[in-house]
Amino acid sequence: MMAMFDLALRGEREPVPIKAVAERQGLSDRYLGQLFTPLRKAGLVRSVRGAQGGYVLTRKPDEISVGDVLRAVEGPISPVHCVSDPGACARVDGCVTRGIWRKLRDRIVEVLDAITLADLCEEAGQEQIGGKAPGGVDHHA
Amino acid sequence: MMAMFDLALRGEREPVPIKAVAERQGLSDRYLGQLFTPLRKAGLVRSVRGAQGGYVLTRKPDEISVGDVLRAVEGPISPVHCVSDPGACARVDGCVTRGIWRKLRDRIVEVLDAITLADLCEEAGQEQIGGKAPGGVDHHA
DNA sequence: CCAATTCCTAGTGGACTACTAGAGTTTCCA
DNA sequence: TGGAAACTCTAGTAGTCCACTAGGAATTGG
């Protein structure tokens, strides 16, 4: 999420190398590289190989939701396995609690799909200006 | 949750022994006994020791929410550690994503606190009106 | 060619989780 | 009073998941 946020802040035009993202966000570049693979396969980012390469978002920040990112990296969003994968629990049939988790899952997805990368950028902009009155934050998105 | 649901269906008056709950719900009685300890400490159930003993709910099913049960057994409800325990992550300060998880946590708690054991009983009754739970459950909704 | 960069595959240490197990303690019933 | 039925406390375990590390191959620009 932090990497995608970083890309949303910068990579509108030129590809951003993993190393730069990693340094700014305080993460390991090796680990980040790994995380970008599923993001690329999900079509959220495009990769440019070779020198001066890096990653670029394929859509505008306000067209990528937190839910999109999470699904790409972690698979189906669900509070418990049996909701997304009925075979995960032997007690599935007639389980009273399953309905709870399904309802919960729906609400969770609702929340996560409603927040976009652009929202994050806006929030971060207001927070970082911090001490001053957050009047007009100019963010292109 | 399944055990608490079982108690809600039956244990309005007489204490229900762990073994009975375990058999009906297809769980290990040893394991269940372990889970009841935090539930008792949280004041959700009362234990009656000795022969003919067992567990009883301390409140009516419609006064115990799924959230209450979860908090008692698993601790604070939270999608990630850093929300309930700021010391859990070194990147806490100025982390962009933390706001997401906080918002999400609030919604999750909202959902879980809105569902009561009585709701579960009602749902289960509608799903399969077998010979189970006849007459004893007050459907007040 | 060389350096920068992505890409692929495998491994690892720590934490969590559902569950098992042993050895008590308390209480009820006969 | 004896004993069984029940809870209580403390450890341990096997499996899984997760964040992260690591080595090296492929690709591209200069």
Side-chain angles (χ1 to χ4, degrees):
Chain A
M1 279 309 310
M2 292 166 77
M4 287 298 276
F5 161 73
D6 196 284
L7 247 58
L9 272 186
R10 296 156 209 278
E12 297 270 337
R13 291 269 164 232
E14 294 181 355
V16 183
I18 279 186
K19 219 166 193 172
V21 176
E23 269 175 28
R24 276 191 296 263
Q25 304 294 328
L27 302 166
S28 136
D29 52 336
R30 289 301 213 141
Y31 180 40
L32 260 193
Q34 206 170 119
L35 293 180
F36 268 115
T37 302
L39 289 170
R40 179 172 49 85
K41 285 184 179 163
L44 295 179
V45 298
R46 184 168 49 85
S47 71
V48 180
R49 302 182 72 160
Q52 267 67 41
Y55 284 97
V56 202
L57 296 183
T58 55
R59 296 182 240 157
K60 290 187 174 172
D62 66 329
E63 288 170 336
I64 297 181
S65 76
V66 171
D68 291 333
V69 178
L70 255 46
R71 266 184 297 265
V73 176
E74 306 190 341
I77 294 171
S78 176
V80 287
H81 282 38
C82 71
V83 169
S84 52
D85 172 20
C89 176
R91 291 186 271 264
V92 154
D93 291 331
C95 173
V96 215
T97 68
R98 193 138 172 268
I100 307 174
W101 317 134
R102 264 212 314 273
K103 240 176 257 175
L104 182 57
R105 190 262 320 259
D106 292 344
R107 298 290 274 168
I108 290 173
V109 168
E110 218 175 286
V111 173
L112 295 179
D113 279 341
I115 307 176
T116 70
L117 293 184
D119 295 331
L120 292 188
C121 293
E122 194 174 334
E123 228 170 86
Q126 286 181 0
E127 265 180 32
Q128 281 201 341
I129 293 182
K132 307 169 72 177
V137 186
D138 72 320
H139 55 284
H140 46 309
Chain B
M1 279 308 310
M2 293 166 77
M4 287 298 276
F5 161 73
D6 196 284
L7 248 58
L9 272 185
R10 294 155 209 278
E12 297 271 339
R13 289 273 161 231
E14 295 183 355
V16 183
I18 279 187
K19 220 168 194 172
V21 177
E23 268 175 29
R24 277 190 296 261
Q25 304 294 328
L27 302 166
S28 135
D29 52 336
R30 288 298 213 138
Y31 181 40
L32 260 192
Q34 207 170 120
L35 293 180
F36 269 115
T37 301
L39 289 170
R40 179 175 49 84
K41 283 183 179 161
L44 295 180
V45 299
R46 183 169 49 84
S47 71
V48 180
R49 305 181 72 156
Q52 266 68 41
Y55 284 95
V56 203
L57 296 183
T58 55
R59 297 182 239 156
K60 290 188 176 174
D62 65 327
E63 288 170 336
I64 297 180
S65 76
V66 171
D68 292 332
V69 178
L70 255 46
R71 266 184 297 266
V73 176
E74 306 190 340
I77 294 171
S78 176
V80 286
H81 282 39
C82 71
V83 169
S84 53
D85 172 21
C89 176
R91 293 185 271 266
V92 154
D93 291 333
C95 174
V96 215
T97 67
R98 193 138 172 269
I100 307 174
W101 317 135
R102 262 213 315 272
K103 238 177 259 177
L104 183 57
R105 191 263 318 259
D106 292 344
R107 301 290 250 155
I108 290 173
V109 168
E110 217 174 287
V111 173
L112 294 179
D113 278 341
I115 307 176
T116 69
L117 293 184
D119 294 330
L120 292 188
C121 292
E122 196 173 335
E123 228 171 86
Q126 285 181 0
E127 264 180 31
Q128 64 177 79
I129 300 188
K132 295 186 175 181
V137 188
D138 65 326
H139 294 290
H140 118 6

